[in-house]
């Protein structure tokens, strides 16, 4: 009988800590519903004590998403744990996840405590959490750089205090697969009450070994893997959920383990997360990259025609890719659109459907075929425009060409007023940004600007992403349009609106 591995998804917590990946509440709820369809066992919905917005997001997800356990993160401090419980308590299956650093550098330098004090804090935190919730997870942060005998003591004491899951994080992505396996084996060998808890791992990808380390831990007996969609997460990210799920499925002969992941939902989930976070998936990314199932070399294509198994170890259908590309057009109708949105993971409330249909028609009228990728962008724009805006773009007129001085005339709407400014620049985008900065009074440093085509063809939607800085504050703006100059203007304005709202 294969062993069941619990999949703990932390896209909405650790994944959201990816630089530039901030998600609004509506997007978090959408992703949580999609994670439930993907059938993850646990959703870590956020860190409730860290901000009122995070509290609200975790609490809404706990009340609305059914199926998976809903966990919240809390430092090993009473106020964090109590706030976490308040946020998760309405979930069908709530979990409090509390943590404290256990490596020497964390104990002595960051926490400025002794190992005895940290052990006591961990035990007190677990006891408090257990007095509130039946399902408590404890993480020994930076476990992979913690002295093993001390790690053993912490694990044994927190199980004794009532923790039902013990997580061994490789917080800085320092471990190697053999070391990971040895650590898990050591704990199984030395912790006397280990059978009373599930052992979990949480691996970061700083050296590109997060998935390999997680799988080594599974082979050594770990029963839970913490991971994120598309491998998002702090710095280089976490172990990628889709890679863990497909490795355990494809190499069941090797691991003799299984997950409950509904793998045909992988692509929908990956695309939704990429679109809502604005973090593009690299084309050669395993499982979900655009090239993951593409065969370029003639010899490979020939082999594939003879027998798919020559060069394919997984079926594209297993992750939700099919040969037939589904497209919509201007005549697909409101129901056709709603139905396809549901199929790719968006349950759109009736009252939001009119606005979304209007956006869809605006794209469909200009573009012959609307692909799923376009629908993800339309849905991201719908979320973005539901968020408060200080300024909005009314009109944009640009003069550019090989012999013309690039000039932009921008008209922005603000408090029922129209404000206009014309500026010249070294290119049309530069001229537009100068005009927007002038009107909004926001001088920002633009440190990244990219434009990409969402689908194929010259009539594809262009998606612009800008990263700007104002002092210590950073913002990422995104927008899509069939006109790349308009997309560039909207993305810049999106970032400026975020900074203005934060300032207020
Ligand atoms: O990387 C880490 O150690 C974490 C913990 C809070 C689990 O994210
Ligand atoms: Zn982490």
């Amino acid at each position: 009988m294969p062993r069941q591995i619990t999949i703990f998804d932390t896209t909405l917590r650790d994944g959201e800590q990816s630089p530039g990946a901030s998600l609004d509440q509506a997007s978090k709820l959408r992703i949580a519903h999609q994670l439930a369809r993907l059938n993850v066992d646990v959703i870590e919905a956020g860190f409730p004590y860290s901000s009122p917005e995070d509290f609200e997001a975790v609490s809404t997800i706990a009340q609305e998403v059914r199926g998976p356990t809903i966990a919240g993160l809390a430092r090993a401090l009473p106020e964090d744990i109590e706030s976490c419980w308040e946020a998760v308590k309405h979930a069908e299956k709530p979990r409090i996840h509390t943590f404290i650093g256990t490596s020497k550098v964390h104990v002595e330098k960051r926490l400025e405590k002794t190992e005895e004090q940290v052990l006591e804090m961990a035990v007190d935190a677990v006891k408090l959490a257990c007095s509130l919730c039946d399902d408590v997870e404890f993480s020994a942060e930076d476990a992979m750089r913690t002295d093993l005998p001390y790690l053993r003591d912490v694990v044994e004491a927190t199980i004794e205090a009532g923790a039902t899951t013990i997580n061994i994080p490789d917080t800085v992505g320092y471990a190697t697969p053999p070391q990971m396996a040895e650590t898990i084996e050591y704990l199984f060998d030395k912790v006397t009450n280990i059978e009373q808890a599930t052992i979990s791992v949480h691996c970061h990808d700083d050296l590109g070994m997060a998935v390999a380390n997680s799988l080594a831990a599974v082979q050594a007996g770990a029963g839970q893997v913490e991971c994120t969609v598309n491998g998002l997460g702090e710095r280089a990210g976490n172990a990628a959920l889709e890679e863990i799920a497909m490795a355990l499925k494809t190499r069941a002969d090797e691991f003799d383990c299984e997950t409950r992941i509904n793998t045909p939902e992988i692509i929908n989930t990956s695309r939704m997360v990429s679109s809502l976070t604005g973090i593009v998936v690299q084309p050669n990314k395993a499982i979900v990259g655009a090239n993951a199932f593409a065969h370029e070399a003639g010899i490979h294509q020939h082999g594939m025609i003879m027998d798919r198994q020559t060069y394919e170890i997984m079926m594209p259908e297993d992750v939700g890719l099919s040969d037939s590309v589904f497209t919509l057009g201007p005549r697909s109708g409101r129901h056709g659109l709603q139905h396809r949105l549901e199929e790719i993971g968006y349950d759109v409330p009736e009252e939001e459907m009119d606005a979304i249909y209007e956006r869809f028609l605006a794209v469909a009228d200009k573009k012959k075929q609307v692909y799923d990728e376009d629908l993800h962008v339309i849905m991201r724009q719908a979320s973005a425009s539901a968020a408060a805006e200080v300024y909005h773009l009314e009109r944009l007129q640009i003069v550019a060409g090989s012999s013309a001085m690039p000039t932009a005339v921008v008209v922005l709407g603000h408090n029922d007023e129209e404000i206009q400014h014309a500026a010249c620049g070294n290119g049309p985008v530069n001229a537009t940004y100068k005009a927007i900065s002038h009107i909004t009074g926001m001088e920002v440093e633009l440190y990244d600007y990219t434009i990409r085509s969402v689908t194929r063809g010259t009539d594809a939607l262009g998606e612009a992403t800008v990263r700007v800085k104002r002092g210590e504050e950073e913002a990422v703006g995104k927008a899509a349009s069939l006109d790349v100059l308009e997309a560039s203007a909207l993305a810049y304005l999106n970032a400026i609106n975020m900074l203005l709202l934060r300032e207020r």
Side-chain angles (χ1 to χ4, degrees):
M1 216 9 211
R3 211 157 43 94
Q4 279 284 346
I5 302 299
T6 300
I7 295 294
F8 176 115
D9 177 276
T10 182
T11 307
L12 297 174
R13 201 276 299 167
D14 214 319
E16 218 234 350
Q17 290 170 221
S18 301
S22 91
L23 290 163
D24 60 27
Q25 282 216 31
S27 304
K28 285 186 184 174
L29 186 59
R30 275 210 167 113
I31 292 176
H33 278 298
Q34 180 57 25
L35 290 170
R37 278 189 190 215
L38 183 65
N39 215 22
V40 304
D41 299 286
V42 185
I43 296 175
E44 185 164 56
F47 188 169
Y49 192 75
S50 67
S51 70
E53 293 76 26
D54 232 31
F55 181 94
E56 219 27 63
V58 177
S59 163
T60 309
I61 291 170
Q63 289 171 56
E64 295 195 17
V65 178
R66 292 292 171 251
T69 295
I70 307 297
L73 185 68
R75 289 170 300 173
L77 297 170
E79 58 274 29
D80 270 47
I81 294 169
E82 279 151 13
S83 151
C84 180
W85 173 242
E86 283 307 308
V88 297
K89 71 181 179 193
H90 295 297
E92 198 176 29
K93 291 175 267 171
R95 174 181 292 190
I96 296 177
H97 176 194
T98 184
F99 74 100
I100 192 163
T102 52
S103 63
K104 279 223 156 49
V105 62
H106 276 250
V107 171
E108 289 169 9
K109 298 280 159 38
R110 191 165 68 86
L111 300 166
E112 296 181 349
K113 302 226 176 285
T114 63
E115 288 189 336
E116 292 68 31
Q117 286 170 321
V118 165
L119 183 82
E120 202 180 312
M121 283 176 76
V123 167
D124 289 349
V126 170
K127 283 190 178 155
L128 172 62
C130 290
S131 72
L132 301 168
C133 184
D134 291 340
D135 184 348
V136 172
E137 171 168 339
F138 170 75
S139 282
E141 191 188 7
D142 207 13
M144 293 308 294
R145 294 192 302 166
T146 299
D147 291 341
L148 281 177
Y150 180 60
L151 184 62
R152 188 213 77 89
D153 291 349
V154 173
V155 171
E156 193 166 278
T158 46
I159 296 178
E160 178 65 30
T164 40
T165 302
I166 298 290
N167 186 33
I168 306 298
D170 181 22
T171 304
V172 289
Y174 181 72
T176 62
Q179 186 199 358
M180 198 81 215
E182 274 164 31
T183 303
I184 302 298
E185 278 160 11
Y186 172 89
L187 293 174
F188 271 100
D189 191 33
K190 303 282 187 214
V191 174
T192 57
N193 52 5
I194 195 121
E195 298 306 333
Q196 293 168 32
T198 299
I199 298 301
S200 166
V201 282
H202 172 114
C203 298
H204 279 270
D205 208 30
D206 300 66
L207 292 173
M209 292 190 278
V211 170
N213 285 338
S214 307
L215 294 173
V218 165
Q219 282 187 306
Q224 173 177 288
V225 175
E226 302 198 354
C227 44
T228 56
V229 175
N230 299 339
L232 292 183
E234 192 68 53
R235 304 181 310 279
N238 289 65
L241 181 153
E242 59 280 3
E243 294 177 27
I244 301 281
M246 290 313 290
L248 292 177
K249 185 177 168 119
T250 310
R251 297 306 311 273
D253 59 324
E254 177 74 9
F255 295 106
D256 197 21
C257 289
E258 60 186 20
T259 70
R260 294 178 194 81
I261 293 296
N262 178 11
T263 64
E265 282 298 325
I266 283 179
I267 286 293
N268 281 342
T269 317
S270 164
R271 287 185 183 160
M272 180 187 287
V273 168
S274 166
S275 174
L276 294 178
T277 56
I279 299 192
V280 176
V281 174
Q282 79 204 50
N284 57 324
K285 161 87 179 61
I287 317 294
V288 291
N291 296 346
F293 290 89
H295 299 273
E296 181 76 18
I299 191 167
H300 286 213
Q301 290 174 352
H302 176 69
M304 288 286 292
I305 293 164
M306 306 305 280
D307 186 336
R308 286 174 76 156
Q309 285 185 30
T310 46
Y311 289 107
E312 213 163 67
I313 58 165
M314 294 167 275
M315 305 279 277
E317 300 80 42
D318 286 348
V319 301
L321 283 169
S322 77
D323 273 351
S324 54
V325 178
F326 194 97
T327 62
L328 294 171
R331 277 184 292 280
S332 300
R334 202 171 177 283
H335 275 105
L337 170 66
Q338 193 161 18
H339 182 68
R340 187 62 192 158
L341 285 173
E342 269 165 29
E343 281 180 340
I344 64 168
Y346 297 94
D347 277 324
V348 184
E350 210 36 58
E351 64 276 12
E352 288 174 28
M353 208 43 220
D354 281 344
I356 288 167
Y357 186 55
E358 226 173 86
R359 271 172 197 280
F360 163 77
L361 281 182
V363 175
D365 278 344
K366 293 194 191 140
K367 218 169 163 283
K368 281 185 221 76
Q369 292 168 313
V370 181
Y371 297 92
D372 287 350
E373 290 90 331
D374 298 317
L375 294 182
H376 284 290
V377 170
I378 290 170
M379 292 308 294
R380 203 189 69 75
Q381 284 179 315
S383 283
S385 66
E389 281 181 330
V390 184
Y391 291 90
H392 62 269
L393 184 68
E394 288 282 356
R395 287 184 299 283
L396 170 66
Q397 196 184 324
I398 287 174
V399 179
S402 50
S403 56
M405 161 79 85
T407 310
V409 180
V410 174
V411 183
L412 299 185
H414 176 58
N415 291 342
D416 298 327
E417 239 190 283
E418 283 194 357
I419 314 169
Q420 174 172 324
H421 188 73
C424 297
N426 55 18
V429 174
N430 180 246
T432 306
Y433 288 5
K434 280 186 174 170
I436 293 177
S437 287
H438 181 90
I439 298 174
T440 57
M442 289 291 274
E443 285 306 328
V444 295
E445 180 198 338
L446 174 72
Y447 67 94
D448 195 19
Y449 163 84
T450 52
I451 186 111
R452 73 173 187 112
S453 145
V454 173
T455 50
R456 312 141 269 259
T458 49
D459 66 349
L461 275 174
E463 187 168 46
T465 307
V466 301
R467 289 169 202 270
V468 300
K469 247 190 207 161
R470 184 172 160 90
E472 291 294 292
E473 282 291 319
E474 291 183 24
V476 182
K478 270 180 97 63
S481 168
L482 290 163
D483 174 341
V484 291
L485 291 174
E486 185 180 69
S488 305
L490 288 168
Y492 190 68
L493 197 54
N494 181 220
I496 286 202
N497 274 330
M498 272 180 216
L499 291 174
L500 284 167
L501 285 167
R502 273 189 228 152
E503 267 183 15
R504 286 175 185 190

PDB file of all heavy atoms in Angstrom, residues 407-429:
ATOM      1  N   THR A 407       6.726  62.190 -28.260  1.00  0.00           N
ATOM      2  CA  THR A 407       5.921  63.067 -27.411  1.00  0.00           C
ATOM      3  C   THR A 407       4.666  62.317 -26.977  1.00  0.00           C
ATOM      4  O   THR A 407       4.054  61.617 -27.790  1.00  0.00           O
ATOM      5  CB  THR A 407       5.477  64.320 -28.214  1.00  0.00           C
ATOM      6  OG1 THR A 407       6.629  64.861 -28.838  1.00  0.00           O
ATOM      7  CG2 THR A 407       4.825  65.372 -27.329  1.00  0.00           C
ATOM      8  N   ALA A 408       4.301  62.479 -25.704  1.00  0.00           N
ATOM      9  CA  ALA A 408       3.070  61.830 -25.217  1.00  0.00           C
ATOM     10  C   ALA A 408       2.157  62.866 -24.594  1.00  0.00           C
ATOM     11  O   ALA A 408       2.608  63.729 -23.851  1.00  0.00           O
ATOM     12  CB  ALA A 408       3.427  60.773 -24.175  1.00  0.00           C
ATOM     13  N   VAL A 409       0.886  62.782 -24.938  1.00  0.00           N
ATOM     14  CA  VAL A 409      -0.117  63.614 -24.268  1.00  0.00           C
ATOM     15  C   VAL A 409      -0.960  62.648 -23.442  1.00  0.00           C
ATOM     16  O   VAL A 409      -1.570  61.724 -23.972  1.00  0.00           O
ATOM     17  CB  VAL A 409      -1.018  64.355 -25.286  1.00  0.00           C
ATOM     18  CG1 VAL A 409      -2.045  65.214 -24.546  1.00  0.00           C
ATOM     19  CG2 VAL A 409      -0.180  65.192 -26.227  1.00  0.00           C
ATOM     20  N   VAL A 410      -0.928  62.862 -22.113  1.00  0.00           N
ATOM     21  CA  VAL A 410      -1.629  61.950 -21.213  1.00  0.00           C
ATOM     22  C   VAL A 410      -2.752  62.715 -20.521  1.00  0.00           C
ATOM     23  O   VAL A 410      -2.541  63.828 -20.042  1.00  0.00           O
ATOM     24  CB  VAL A 410      -0.644  61.392 -20.153  1.00  0.00           C
ATOM     25  CG1 VAL A 410      -1.379  60.560 -19.106  1.00  0.00           C
ATOM     26  CG2 VAL A 410       0.450  60.566 -20.814  1.00  0.00           C
ATOM     27  N   VAL A 411      -3.943  62.098 -20.487  1.00  0.00           N
ATOM     28  CA  VAL A 411      -5.046  62.693 -19.733  1.00  0.00           C
ATOM     29  C   VAL A 411      -5.447  61.678 -18.657  1.00  0.00           C
ATOM     30  O   VAL A 411      -5.805  60.545 -18.964  1.00  0.00           O
ATOM     31  CB  VAL A 411      -6.269  63.005 -20.641  1.00  0.00           C
ATOM     32  CG1 VAL A 411      -7.372  63.697 -19.833  1.00  0.00           C
ATOM     33  CG2 VAL A 411      -5.848  63.850 -21.831  1.00  0.00           C
ATOM     34  N   LEU A 412      -5.327  62.115 -17.389  1.00  0.00           N
ATOM     35  CA  LEU A 412      -5.697  61.232 -16.282  1.00  0.00           C
ATOM     36  C   LEU A 412      -6.960  61.757 -15.607  1.00  0.00           C
ATOM     37  O   LEU A 412      -7.171  62.969 -15.516  1.00  0.00           O
ATOM     38  CB  LEU A 412      -4.581  61.161 -15.235  1.00  0.00           C
ATOM     39  CG  LEU A 412      -3.224  60.615 -15.668  1.00  0.00           C
ATOM     40  CD1 LEU A 412      -2.290  60.502 -14.463  1.00  0.00           C
ATOM     41  CD2 LEU A 412      -3.346  59.240 -16.334  1.00  0.00           C
ATOM     42  N   GLY A 413      -7.766  60.833 -15.110  1.00  0.00           N
ATOM     43  CA  GLY A 413      -8.952  61.201 -14.336  1.00  0.00           C
ATOM     44  C   GLY A 413      -8.607  61.117 -12.862  1.00  0.00           C
ATOM     45  O   GLY A 413      -7.929  60.181 -12.418  1.00  0.00           O
ATOM     46  N   HIS A 414      -9.070  62.125 -12.091  1.00  0.00           N
ATOM     47  CA  HIS A 414      -8.786  62.149 -10.648  1.00  0.00           C
ATOM     48  C   HIS A 414      -9.884  62.955  -9.969  1.00  0.00           C
ATOM     49  O   HIS A 414     -10.093  64.125 -10.332  1.00  0.00           O
ATOM     50  CB  HIS A 414      -7.406  62.809 -10.436  1.00  0.00           C
ATOM     51  CG  HIS A 414      -7.033  62.978  -9.001  1.00  0.00           C
ATOM     52  ND1 HIS A 414      -6.961  61.938  -8.123  1.00  0.00           N
ATOM     53  CD2 HIS A 414      -6.702  64.095  -8.296  1.00  0.00           C
ATOM     54  CE1 HIS A 414      -6.592  62.392  -6.932  1.00  0.00           C
ATOM     55  NE2 HIS A 414      -6.433  63.701  -7.008  1.00  0.00           N
ATOM     56  N   ASN A 415     -10.605  62.358  -9.038  1.00  0.00           N
ATOM     57  CA  ASN A 415     -11.695  63.055  -8.327  1.00  0.00           C
ATOM     58  C   ASN A 415     -12.639  63.799  -9.292  1.00  0.00           C
ATOM     59  O   ASN A 415     -12.841  65.005  -9.160  1.00  0.00           O
ATOM     60  CB  ASN A 415     -11.128  64.095  -7.346  1.00  0.00           C
ATOM     61  CG  ASN A 415     -10.414  63.429  -6.198  1.00  0.00           C
ATOM     62  OD1 ASN A 415     -10.617  62.250  -5.944  1.00  0.00           O
ATOM     63  ND2 ASN A 415      -9.573  64.183  -5.523  1.00  0.00           N
ATOM     64  N   ASP A 416     -13.157  63.125 -10.272  1.00  0.00           N
ATOM     65  CA  ASP A 416     -14.089  63.721 -11.258  1.00  0.00           C
ATOM     66  C   ASP A 416     -13.480  64.844 -12.091  1.00  0.00           C
ATOM     67  O   ASP A 416     -14.199  65.657 -12.681  1.00  0.00           O
ATOM     68  CB  ASP A 416     -15.363  64.265 -10.572  1.00  0.00           C
ATOM     69  CG  ASP A 416     -16.117  63.159  -9.892  1.00  0.00           C
ATOM     70  OD1 ASP A 416     -16.066  62.030 -10.420  1.00  0.00           O
ATOM     71  OD2 ASP A 416     -16.715  63.422  -8.844  1.00  0.00           O
ATOM     72  N   GLU A 417     -12.181  64.944 -12.125  1.00  0.00           N
ATOM     73  CA  GLU A 417     -11.521  66.002 -12.901  1.00  0.00           C
ATOM     74  C   GLU A 417     -10.636  65.332 -13.943  1.00  0.00           C
ATOM     75  O   GLU A 417     -10.180  64.205 -13.725  1.00  0.00           O
ATOM     76  CB  GLU A 417     -10.563  66.716 -11.952  1.00  0.00           C
ATOM     77  CG  GLU A 417     -10.793  68.197 -11.768  1.00  0.00           C
ATOM     78  CD  GLU A 417      -9.606  68.738 -11.001  1.00  0.00           C
ATOM     79  OE1 GLU A 417      -9.539  68.533  -9.780  1.00  0.00           O
ATOM     80  OE2 GLU A 417      -8.734  69.330 -11.663  1.00  0.00           O
ATOM     81  N   GLU A 418     -10.392  66.032 -15.044  1.00  0.00           N
ATOM     82  CA  GLU A 418      -9.434  65.499 -16.026  1.00  0.00           C
ATOM     83  C   GLU A 418      -8.188  66.365 -15.981  1.00  0.00           C
ATOM     84  O   GLU A 418      -8.288  67.597 -16.030  1.00  0.00           O
ATOM     85  CB  GLU A 418     -10.038  65.547 -17.427  1.00  0.00           C
ATOM     86  CG  GLU A 418     -11.043  64.445 -17.649  1.00  0.00           C
ATOM     87  CD  GLU A 418     -11.394  64.255 -19.115  1.00  0.00           C
ATOM     88  OE1 GLU A 418     -10.902  65.017 -19.971  1.00  0.00           O
ATOM     89  OE2 GLU A 418     -12.162  63.337 -19.403  1.00  0.00           O
ATOM     90  N   ILE A 419      -7.023  65.751 -15.888  1.00  0.00           N
ATOM     91  CA  ILE A 419      -5.777  66.521 -15.844  1.00  0.00           C
ATOM     92  C   ILE A 419      -4.917  66.068 -17.024  1.00  0.00           C
ATOM     93  O   ILE A 419      -4.724  64.855 -17.234  1.00  0.00           O
ATOM     94  CB  ILE A 419      -5.004  66.294 -14.532  1.00  0.00           C
ATOM     95  CG1 ILE A 419      -5.974  66.398 -13.341  1.00  0.00           C
ATOM     96  CG2 ILE A 419      -3.855  67.290 -14.386  1.00  0.00           C
ATOM     97  CD1 ILE A 419      -5.400  65.947 -12.038  1.00  0.00           C
ATOM     98  N   GLN A 420      -4.393  67.054 -17.752  1.00  0.00           N
ATOM     99  CA  GLN A 420      -3.657  66.734 -18.982  1.00  0.00           C
ATOM    100  C   GLN A 420      -2.227  67.261 -18.898  1.00  0.00           C
ATOM    101  O   GLN A 420      -1.981  68.319 -18.320  1.00  0.00           O
ATOM    102  CB  GLN A 420      -4.385  67.395 -20.140  1.00  0.00           C
ATOM    103  CG  GLN A 420      -3.662  67.263 -21.450  1.00  0.00           C
ATOM    104  CD  GLN A 420      -4.528  67.769 -22.594  1.00  0.00           C
ATOM    105  OE1 GLN A 420      -5.733  67.599 -22.605  1.00  0.00           O
ATOM    106  NE2 GLN A 420      -3.885  68.381 -23.563  1.00  0.00           N
ATOM    107  N   HIS A 421      -1.309  66.488 -19.470  1.00  0.00           N
ATOM    108  CA  HIS A 421       0.063  66.998 -19.569  1.00  0.00           C
ATOM    109  C   HIS A 421       0.734  66.364 -20.792  1.00  0.00           C
ATOM    110  O   HIS A 421       0.474  65.212 -21.125  1.00  0.00           O
ATOM    111  CB  HIS A 421       0.859  66.652 -18.295  1.00  0.00           C
ATOM    112  CG  HIS A 421       2.199  67.308 -18.272  1.00  0.00           C
ATOM    113  ND1 HIS A 421       2.361  68.657 -18.058  1.00  0.00           N
ATOM    114  CD2 HIS A 421       3.446  66.803 -18.478  1.00  0.00           C
ATOM    115  CE1 HIS A 421       3.653  68.952 -18.116  1.00  0.00           C
ATOM    116  NE2 HIS A 421       4.334  67.838 -18.375  1.00  0.00           N
ATOM    117  N   ALA A 422       1.590  67.168 -21.442  1.00  0.00           N
ATOM    118  CA  ALA A 422       2.344  66.642 -22.588  1.00  0.00           C
ATOM    119  C   ALA A 422       3.817  66.636 -22.216  1.00  0.00           C
ATOM    120  O   ALA A 422       4.300  67.555 -21.549  1.00  0.00           O
ATOM    121  CB  ALA A 422       2.112  67.526 -23.804  1.00  0.00           C
ATOM    122  N   ALA A 423       4.519  65.583 -22.607  1.00  0.00           N
ATOM    123  CA  ALA A 423       5.958  65.515 -22.294  1.00  0.00           C
ATOM    124  C   ALA A 423       6.690  64.870 -23.461  1.00  0.00           C
ATOM    125  O   ALA A 423       6.128  64.071 -24.223  1.00  0.00           O
ATOM    126  CB  ALA A 423       6.172  64.701 -21.024  1.00  0.00           C
ATOM    127  N   CYS A 424       7.975  65.257 -23.595  1.00  0.00           N
ATOM    128  CA  CYS A 424       8.839  64.612 -24.603  1.00  0.00           C
ATOM    129  C   CYS A 424       9.800  63.696 -23.863  1.00  0.00           C
ATOM    130  O   CYS A 424      10.120  63.915 -22.698  1.00  0.00           O
ATOM    131  CB  CYS A 424       9.666  65.656 -25.347  1.00  0.00           C
ATOM    132  SG  CYS A 424       8.636  66.785 -26.262  1.00  0.00           S
ATOM    133  N   GLY A 425      10.292  62.687 -24.570  1.00  0.00           N
ATOM    134  CA  GLY A 425      11.229  61.776 -23.921  1.00  0.00           C
ATOM    135  C   GLY A 425      12.135  61.152 -24.955  1.00  0.00           C
ATOM    136  O   GLY A 425      12.042  61.456 -26.153  1.00  0.00           O
ATOM    137  N   ASN A 426      12.999  60.229 -24.495  1.00  0.00           N
ATOM    138  CA  ASN A 426      13.900  59.606 -25.464  1.00  0.00           C
ATOM    139  C   ASN A 426      13.218  58.436 -26.193  1.00  0.00           C
ATOM    140  O   ASN A 426      13.807  57.760 -27.013  1.00  0.00           O
ATOM    141  CB  ASN A 426      15.220  59.183 -24.804  1.00  0.00           C
ATOM    142  CG  ASN A 426      14.989  58.278 -23.628  1.00  0.00           C
ATOM    143  OD1 ASN A 426      13.906  57.703 -23.501  1.00  0.00           O
ATOM    144  ND2 ASN A 426      15.979  58.156 -22.753  1.00  0.00           N
ATOM    145  N   GLY A 427      11.976  58.193 -25.857  1.00  0.00           N
ATOM    146  CA  GLY A 427      11.176  57.180 -26.549  1.00  0.00           C
ATOM    147  C   GLY A 427       9.737  57.390 -26.126  1.00  0.00           C
ATOM    148  O   GLY A 427       9.473  58.148 -25.181  1.00  0.00           O
ATOM    149  N   PRO A 428       8.770  56.730 -26.776  1.00  0.00           N
ATOM    150  CA  PRO A 428       7.359  56.974 -26.438  1.00  0.00           C
ATOM    151  C   PRO A 428       7.002  56.569 -25.006  1.00  0.00           C
ATOM    152  O   PRO A 428       6.198  57.224 -24.355  1.00  0.00           O
ATOM    153  CB  PRO A 428       6.595  56.139 -27.470  1.00  0.00           C
ATOM    154  CG  PRO A 428       7.578  55.218 -28.092  1.00  0.00           C
ATOM    155  CD  PRO A 428       8.933  55.807 -27.920  1.00  0.00           C
ATOM    156  N   VAL A 429       7.625  55.469 -24.510  1.00  0.00           N
ATOM    157  CA  VAL A 429       7.292  55.019 -23.154  1.00  0.00           C
ATOM    158  C   VAL A 429       7.850  56.028 -22.143  1.00  0.00           C
ATOM    159  O   VAL A 429       7.165  56.454 -21.197  1.00  0.00           O
ATOM    160  CB  VAL A 429       7.854  53.592 -22.895  1.00  0.00           C
ATOM    161  CG1 VAL A 429       7.649  53.178 -21.454  1.00  0.00           C
ATOM    162  CG2 VAL A 429       7.171  52.600 -23.839  1.00  0.00           C
TER     163      VAL A 429
END
